[in-house]
Amino acid sequence: LNDNPSQYVLKLSGTLRSPKMDFHPPFLMLMPVPLGVQSEAVITIIPQDFIRQSRITAKLPELELADGTRTCPFSVQFLEGQDIVLSSDGTTNELTCRVSFRSSKPMSFLGEMLFIDQEENRWPIGSHFELLEQQTIVFLPYTRTWHCTALIKKL
């Protein structure tokens, strides 16, 4: 270089790729169940553009009940582990997880469930979803009819 930088030109090129995650199905829908009974769904997490191995965790919403107590009626279990592993050809493994909900009280919910990698990248499942009076059960003894209501809508 010898104090004459104009003789040299350095050109750099590259592609910026951020890790992504897709979910199948793309939104979460839990079936209505009686109060205190667990409802669950299995989702597949499809990692894309990861350049190194990473561990995925879930951040679950904590809800406040009418009496002021806080609860987390959701749980997540990774069925085959929670590590994203890169193969020699650059592809990544899919992760399967079971999302469960159980509550002894009817509740309304609007929020998101996040999946987070080791780099603190965050992906919400299905963006936001709303759960209204998820477990309203009415028993009519004379007609032997159960009436279950679940209102879930994607925003």
Side-chain angles (χ1 to χ4, degrees):
L1 294 173
N2 299 331
D3 295 329
N4 192 357
S6 62
Q7 294 180 359
Y8 300 95
V9 176
L10 180 61
K11 291 184 179 182
L12 300 175
S13 65
T15 303
L16 179 63
R17 292 179 12 183
S18 297
K20 296 178 247 173
M21 273 198 256
D22 287 331
F23 299 92
H24 182 76
F27 58 90
L28 180 64
M29 181 176 288
L30 298 172
M31 298 303 294
V33 292
L35 294 173
V37 175
Q38 183 168 294
S39 180
E40 60 186 39
V42 175
I43 60 170
T44 302
I45 301 172
I46 306 162
Q48 298 174 10
D49 297 333
F50 278 77
I51 58 172
R52 66 182 64 85
Q53 181 170 325
S54 189
R55 180 176 272 277
I56 301 300
T57 58
K59 182 179 179 190
L60 304 174
E62 191 175 84
L63 310 176
E64 187 171 340
L65 301 175
D67 63 4
T69 59
R70 299 192 65 77
T71 184
C72 182
F74 296 96
S75 64
V76 171
Q77 178 187 14
F78 291 90
L79 301 179
E80 297 152 3
Q82 56 196 98
D83 292 328
I84 295 174
V85 179
L86 293 171
S87 65
S88 59
D89 65 357
T91 59
T92 54
N93 61 312
E94 295 182 352
L95 303 175
T96 304
C97 73
R98 178 180 299 128
V99 179
S100 303
F101 174 87
R102 179 188 307 228
S103 176
S104 60
K105 299 178 182 179
M107 60 180 58
S108 296
F109 170 66
L110 173 63
E112 62 187 7
M113 184 178 300
L114 295 172
F115 289 88
I116 305 169
D117 70 3
Q118 286 177 287
E119 306 286 325
E120 295 296 318
N121 296 307
R122 296 166 177 257
W123 295 272
I125 179 167
S127 193
H128 287 79
F129 61 94
E130 185 172 3
L131 179 62
L132 298 172
E133 297 298 328
Q134 195 266 344
Q135 299 177 333
T136 303
I137 306 292
V138 177
F139 178 62
L140 304 173
Y142 298 108
T143 59
R144 297 182 188 210
T145 303
W146 282 93
H147 175 71
C148 301
T149 305
L151 301 173
I152 300 176
K153 63 182 179 182
K154 188 173 179 185
L155 298 177

